[in-house]
Amino acid sequence: MHLLDYGKDYNMARLFLSDPKVISGRISIEEPASIHYLRDVLRSRQHDTVIVFDGKGREYICSVETISEKIVLIVREESAAVKREGNVVITCACAIPKNSRMDDIIDKLTQLGVDRIIPLITERTQVKLDKKRRLIKHERWEKIAIAASQQSQRVSLPKIDLVTEFDDFISLTNRFDVKLMPNLVGKTKHLSQLLNSLGKNILVAIGPEGDFSQAEVDTAIKNGFISVSLGDTVLRVETAAVSIVSFLRLVSY
């Protein structure tokens, strides 16, 4: 069976390894978190099939040979995987909401196939993070993205940027085909008006509770952003992020 046929079995166990080393046709797993995931979460047993992916487009179809203090997988097939995340590259910069809601945003955007996520600090962001907490959050979000990638059968991992200030973010936005900023301030376009001009490399900026400030909207528009509407209702940060990315994914297939 070809690797792509395996990809159609949505019950197939998948495991992310950043640098899987194949020695004599086998991959040895000694990292405790990966062992726990296969043995205790997925309940993999001897001879079960596991697909190992490296997050950079390569997959290995394996069979479980042994499960003990380490897990040994026999590699049956290796292939460069077909990208399943869609035909466009989507970057979502999202203001960090209160509580743990950014965790859910990372999870949902990863499942939807977003290629890059930039956690934003804006003028009205209520979350305060010092340097240490920013690093802790970043590590946690990367783990969430890995788990969501395994569950959703992605072949690549989204890049999770470090927490970024709005002004620094604007300086990173020159190379996108189209830049969208959903907001409630001033004149906006409906997304349906942009269907023929989206391009292949799309950036979306999602504001915080209370929306972007007028100054931030003005700065973004001066730097090529298009102000867009997501409808007549006021959406939570996480709802806005999932809504616009879902729309972009749907129209890009």
Side-chain angles (χ1 to χ4, degrees):
M1 184 179 290
H2 191 271
L3 184 59
L4 296 183
D5 296 322
Y6 276 97
K8 297 175 184 177
D9 185 347
Y10 296 106
N11 292 317
M12 192 73 67
R14 292 179 64 82
L15 175 69
F16 167 73
L17 296 176
S18 61
D19 185 24
K21 291 181 170 56
V22 181
I23 300 174
S24 300
R26 287 169 170 77
I27 297 174
S28 293
I29 301 172
E30 300 182 12
E31 201 271 318
S34 297
I35 293 173
H36 168 71
Y37 180 70
L38 278 180
R39 184 183 60 201
D40 304 322
V41 177
L42 297 181
R43 298 185 180 278
S44 296
R45 297 294 180 260
Q46 191 176 28
H47 307 307
D48 284 356
T49 297
V50 175
I51 297 179
V52 173
F53 69 106
D54 65 2
K56 297 181 281 290
R58 186 158 293 278
E59 293 182 329
Y60 305 81
I61 298 177
C62 305
S63 296
V64 177
E65 183 177 48
T66 59
I67 298 179
S68 56
E69 294 182 357
K70 69 177 181 179
I71 296 177
V72 177
L73 305 177
I74 300 175
V75 177
R76 287 154 41 194
E77 185 176 346
E78 176 183 348
S79 176
V82 174
K83 189 175 187 290
R84 301 191 186 102
E85 289 79 15
N87 298 319
V88 297
V89 175
I90 298 177
T91 297
C92 184
C94 186
I96 303 171
K98 293 183 293 184
N99 303 320
S100 61
R101 286 152 57 199
M102 193 67 187
D103 293 4
D104 292 333
I105 291 171
I106 299 290
D107 177 79
K108 299 300 186 294
L109 293 184
T110 299
Q111 292 183 51
L112 287 168
V114 165
D115 297 273
R116 180 182 177 190
I117 302 170
I118 306 174
L120 275 185
I121 298 292
T122 69
E123 186 177 325
R124 293 174 179 165
T125 299
Q126 299 180 34
V127 175
K128 306 299 180 185
L129 298 172
D130 58 24
K131 184 176 181 180
K132 181 179 179 180
R133 283 187 52 77
R134 290 185 183 201
L135 292 175
I136 291 172
K137 287 285 189 183
H138 182 258
E139 183 178 350
R140 174 175 174 79
W141 292 332
E142 286 192 321
K143 290 179 180 178
I144 290 171
I146 289 171
S149 296
Q150 290 174 155
Q151 178 271 321
S152 59
Q153 297 208 1
R154 288 188 61 152
V155 298
S156 62
L157 297 181
K159 180 181 186 297
I160 312 295
D161 282 31
L162 294 170
V163 175
T164 304
E165 302 289 335
F166 181 82
D167 289 342
D168 295 329
F169 158 68
I170 288 294
S171 69
L172 303 174
T173 63
N174 294 328
R175 298 183 179 180
F176 293 91
D177 295 332
V178 65
K179 296 176 277 192
L180 306 176
M181 176 177 275
N183 69 86
L184 305 171
V185 178
K187 187 176 181 180
T188 59
K189 289 187 176 182
H190 193 277
L191 283 173
S192 61
Q193 297 175 265
L194 304 172
L195 289 180
N196 296 323
S197 58
L198 287 176
K200 294 293 185 181
N201 192 6
I202 302 172
L203 171 62
V204 177
I206 305 295
E209 296 95 339
D211 206 2
F212 289 109
S213 69
Q214 183 65 62
E216 288 170 335
V217 173
D218 291 343
T219 297
I221 290 174
K222 287 178 182 177
N223 283 273
F225 278 80
I226 301 170
S227 185
V228 297
S229 169
L230 297 182
D232 296 329
T233 57
V234 178
L235 305 180
R236 290 180 180 270
V237 178
E238 59 269 35
T239 308
V242 169
S243 295
I244 190 168
V245 169
S246 297
F247 174 85
L248 294 172
R249 276 286 172 239
L250 180 63
V251 300
S252 69
Y253 273 101

